[in-house]
Amino acid sequence: PGYCCLPEATGALHKLFTSYMMNEEHQYMTPEDEWDRDLLLDPAWEKQQRKTFTAWCNSHLRKAGTQIENIEDDFRNGLKLMLLLEVISGERLPKPDKGKMRFHKIANVNKALDFICSKGVKLVSIGAEEIVDGNTKMTLGMIWTIILRFAIQDISVEETSAKEGLLLWCQRKTAPYRNVNVQNFHISWKDGLALCALIHRHRPDLIDYSKLKKDDPIGNLNTAFEVAEKYLDIPKMLDAEDIVNTPKPDEKAIMTYVSCFYHAFAGAEQAETAANRICKVLAVNQENEKLMEEYEKLASELLEWIRKTIPWLENRTAEHHMRAMQQKLEDFRDYRRIHKPPRVQEKCQLEINFNTLQTKLRLSNRPAFMPSEGKMVSDIANAWKGLEQVEKGYEEWLLTEIRRLERLDHLAEKFKQKCSLHQSWTSGKEELLSMKDYESASLMEIRALMRKHEAFESDLAAHQDRVEQIAAIAQELNELDYHDASSVNTRCQGICDQWDNLGTLTQKRRDSLERVEKLWETIDQLYLEFAKRAAPFNNWMDGAMEDLQDMFIVHSTEEIHSLITAHDQFKATLPEADKERMATMGIQSEIVKIAQTYGIKLSGVNPYTNLSPQDITNKWETVKHLVPLRDQMLQEEVARQQANERLRRQFAAQANIIGPWIQTKMEEIGHVSVDIAGSLEEQMNSLKQYEQNIINYKCNIDKLEGDHQLSQESLIFDNKHTNYTMEHIRVGWEQLLTTIARTINEVENQILTRDAKGISQEQLNEFRASFNHFDRKRNGMMDPDDFRACLISMGYDLGEVEFARIMTLVDSNNTGVVTFQAFIDFMTRETAETDTADQVMASFKILASDKSYITVDELRRELPPEQAEYCISRMTRYIGADGPAGALDYISFSSALYGESDL
């Protein structure tokens, strides 16, 4: 029903029926079969075909600036038919005949039909005469043949035929949408939802699918037609009413219209795929550039901190007072405990970031990162080394200066004490020596004055040693650069000048007394004897009191025991001194006895000395009182030195444990990256636990730092019980933290390599097993010979030239060894694929519609905003003559992504 059965069509109908029944899956028929069936074309279908085919032809002809109004009339002279074929094929047809006679028209139509046949299409029952005569069915059949060849034939999904391919594409695109079930090219499209779903799947911004209703087919179809014409440049080829009111819409019309969507969106999908590839590549570059910027920033900050810190550590300006120098030492401790540790972490993190960045660049087939001049990892390491050298010198200088100031303070106090004693003794001596009392003295008085002067000379000679000590101390203070050396020198010079004057006055007085000595013969021997014996004994007591009150400074128990021994030796002389005292006091007793015996009235004053028996007694009592005080001072110092010794032993006990522990951990870490079995994640977990155990050990370092601080506060600067100094422990600890962090980073990079390159865990395990087998020294490295043997064991056939090439890859710095990381990098390069510059160029070419340049508008239309602006800011201007103003060169940009550049 609905077919117009002409007598001449009986044979064709039989052929169509037979062909249809023999096709088990009802696949799309051949052009010959389709043409045979056209003899039976339904009037409604013919109407739909006329409208659809006309619109389809005009969508191409308008590119040539023309169109058709009536499909069977406008193609009769063959001119627009030839033009249509030239537009859709992109090829030139033979020059058409210009005449208007029938044979000219037939000739032109035949040229068009010959061109169609040259494309492998068999035209059955379609002749130029029928087209020239305006046969509607023949003309529609010819246009359908052209549509089949140039719009539908190349559509293929999963190696299906053209019709099946187009149908499968529609089914896949509309599968997620409710109320859409595309099974054919007729009734499946009547409600308009399938067309709206196709548009929404590719351009969701054009249609709100959720608001469409299945019971409004006219509205749905018109929505699809209007949106396609306005936004997709697909002309309206169908009428909604014709489709809805026709029980079975014409397949050819529907297929023709739907094929326009395929061509519109297939290009968009290809562009989207190309854009996604470009975005992925650009994202890698953006991330790498961010890491480069972070490295540069962190390196600059660390180098700036080192630059500012070194002058502070190089400043050797000594302070004049112990408190100020101790404050410098405290500031240095804060630097070591508070300010430097975060910088140690930054330095370690910087190396980790650098290694991670190089790994990412290598995995993405990018050139290695070269930091700015002076910011290489080696530059930072050298700067750090310089910092630590200056730092070590600074601490040594501080301790030396503190010892010097300690010695200076001791000497200055001792100088003041001796000067005070000396000046106390010399007080009034110049006036006494300048007196002319002997001019009016009696004989006895002259004798007394003479004897008194002799006693004074004896006393003067005894004080010579003290003056020499004062001068020696002053000289040592000058040699040690005492800050108040000028006042010391002034005072010392005053004492020396005074001493010289005393010598001169003494000699003058002696000369004067000797001149009159001949006049006086009577001398009280007993007084004289007392004076002679009392003076040196008194001087001895002065010296004893001075020694007993003398300050001392020691740094060890041996030194204090030496002082105790000297004190014990002094105490051993006390009995002998007491005998001398008793003998001296016996003279005075004899004087008193003689005076009592002979009734002599004593004046109570010894004319030859100012020393009285009471003076001797008082000083002797003072000496006896000072002896136990000295004992107490020495014992207190013994206790202090014993406490210091305990601090030394306490520090040494910990240091002798911590030092070997750090060394052991360093050796263990040296093997851990290649010895741990299991997956990389299991290795990472093991290393993290290992790192946590090391971090947990930090409390022992802190406790040792506390003991070290106590030692320095107690001015303990040596320790014979250990070879480990706090500096050794600090450096070892920092190296241990850095080493475990580097090891973890190596495993992280291996995970990164594995995931980026698609390397399986089994392959990595095989690589690790091979490396471990040939790592004969078990130090995480292979010698070149072992590396060659390893490669041979893995199936590499190596000549000298090829092996030399591989060595330049795995040992670019010519260290003579191959590390585990370098081995893994080489093996992953051998087994994995990476994106290339050619792939990126091909993707850009798709976005540029096969042009050798791309415009700013195309980049902003096809790429996300961030990636688009990234390309625009970095692409150079296109210099070809075929490009418009502002065109960009994507070819050089793609090459630069994988070569030496500033990107």
Side-chain angles (χ1 to χ4, degrees), residues 332-592:
F332 182 70
R333 290 198 194 103
D334 289 342
Y335 158 78
R336 291 304 303 265
R337 292 178 301 179
I338 299 174
H339 303 297
K340 185 183 177 185
R343 300 299 179 176
V344 174
Q345 293 297 323
E346 287 181 9
K347 175 176 172 291
C348 177
Q349 189 62 45
L350 195 67
E351 295 178 4
I352 290 173
N353 290 354
F354 183 81
N355 293 335
T356 300
L357 174 59
Q358 298 294 37
T359 298
K360 288 186 175 182
L361 290 171
R362 185 170 58 253
L363 294 177
S364 59
N365 202 22
R366 303 306 196 274
F369 169 54
M370 288 297 293
S372 301
E373 184 176 357
K375 295 180 184 177
M376 292 288 291
V377 172
S378 58
D379 297 324
I380 294 170
N382 290 334
W384 190 266
K385 183 178 180 181
L387 173 71
E388 291 185 332
Q389 289 175 346
V390 175
E391 179 184 296
K392 185 175 185 299
Y394 184 72
E395 185 174 28
E396 292 174 353
W397 172 77
L398 278 177
L399 298 179
T400 301
E401 278 300 308
I402 288 175
R403 292 191 188 100
R404 186 181 70 84
L405 286 179
E406 181 187 32
R407 176 65 176 167
L408 283 174
D409 288 347
H410 171 70
L411 289 175
E413 191 62 32
K414 191 169 185 177
F415 177 80
K416 292 177 183 178
Q417 184 185 54
K418 287 188 177 294
C419 286
S420 296
L421 289 172
H422 176 76
Q423 289 174 331
S424 175
W425 178 83
T426 60
S427 179
K429 292 295 189 294
E430 291 174 299
E431 292 80 2
L432 180 64
L433 291 173
S434 300
M435 292 176 60
K436 301 277 181 82
D437 52 348
Y438 52 83
E439 292 181 350
S440 59
S442 64
L443 178 61
M444 293 300 293
E445 289 172 338
I446 290 297
R447 288 180 175 176
L449 289 175
M450 187 61 189
R451 301 298 180 269
K452 183 178 181 180
H453 187 69
E454 289 177 354
F456 174 76
E457 287 182 325
S458 177
D459 198 8
L460 185 67
H463 279 79
Q464 176 70 32
D465 183 57
R466 182 178 294 146
V467 174
E468 292 175 353
Q469 290 178 8
I470 290 172
I473 293 174
Q475 181 179 355
E476 188 172 358
L477 286 171
N478 278 276
E479 291 173 351
L480 292 177
D481 195 20
Y482 182 54
H483 72 280
D484 198 18
S486 60
S487 62
V488 169
N489 293 336
T490 300
R491 191 170 186 182
C492 179
Q493 188 62 45
I495 289 174
C496 291
D497 292 343
Q498 184 189 41
W499 184 256
D500 292 339
N501 191 40
L502 283 175
T504 301
L505 292 175
T506 300
Q507 186 59 43
K508 287 181 179 180
R509 185 171 180 81
R510 167 172 277 280
D511 293 342
S512 298
L513 288 174
E514 286 179 349
R515 284 196 304 269
V516 296
E517 185 177 12
K518 294 178 181 180
L519 302 175
W520 311 101
E521 296 177 353
T522 324
I523 297 173
D524 190 342
Q525 293 297 327
L526 292 176
Y527 271 132
L528 180 59
E529 182 66 20
F530 177 86
K532 287 183 177 181
R533 297 192 70 166
F537 183 67
N538 178 71
N539 188 62
W540 176 86
M541 287 192 294
D542 286 342
M545 288 189 292
E546 182 179 347
D547 290 342
L548 290 172
Q549 297 178 84
D550 188 22
M551 295 184 300
F552 55 83
I553 178 171
V554 294
H555 296 93
S556 66
T557 55
E558 290 80 3
E559 292 179 9
I560 189 60
H561 284 311
S562 176
L563 290 179
I564 291 175
T565 300
H567 184 59
D568 290 341
Q569 292 173 352
F570 167 76
K571 289 192 293 184
T573 65
L574 288 178
E576 189 64 30
D578 192 40
K579 289 180 181 179
E580 179 63 20
R581 182 187 66 82
M582 293 298 293
T584 303
M585 297 302 291
I587 295 174
Q588 180 63 27
S589 299
E590 185 65 21
I591 292 172
V592 172

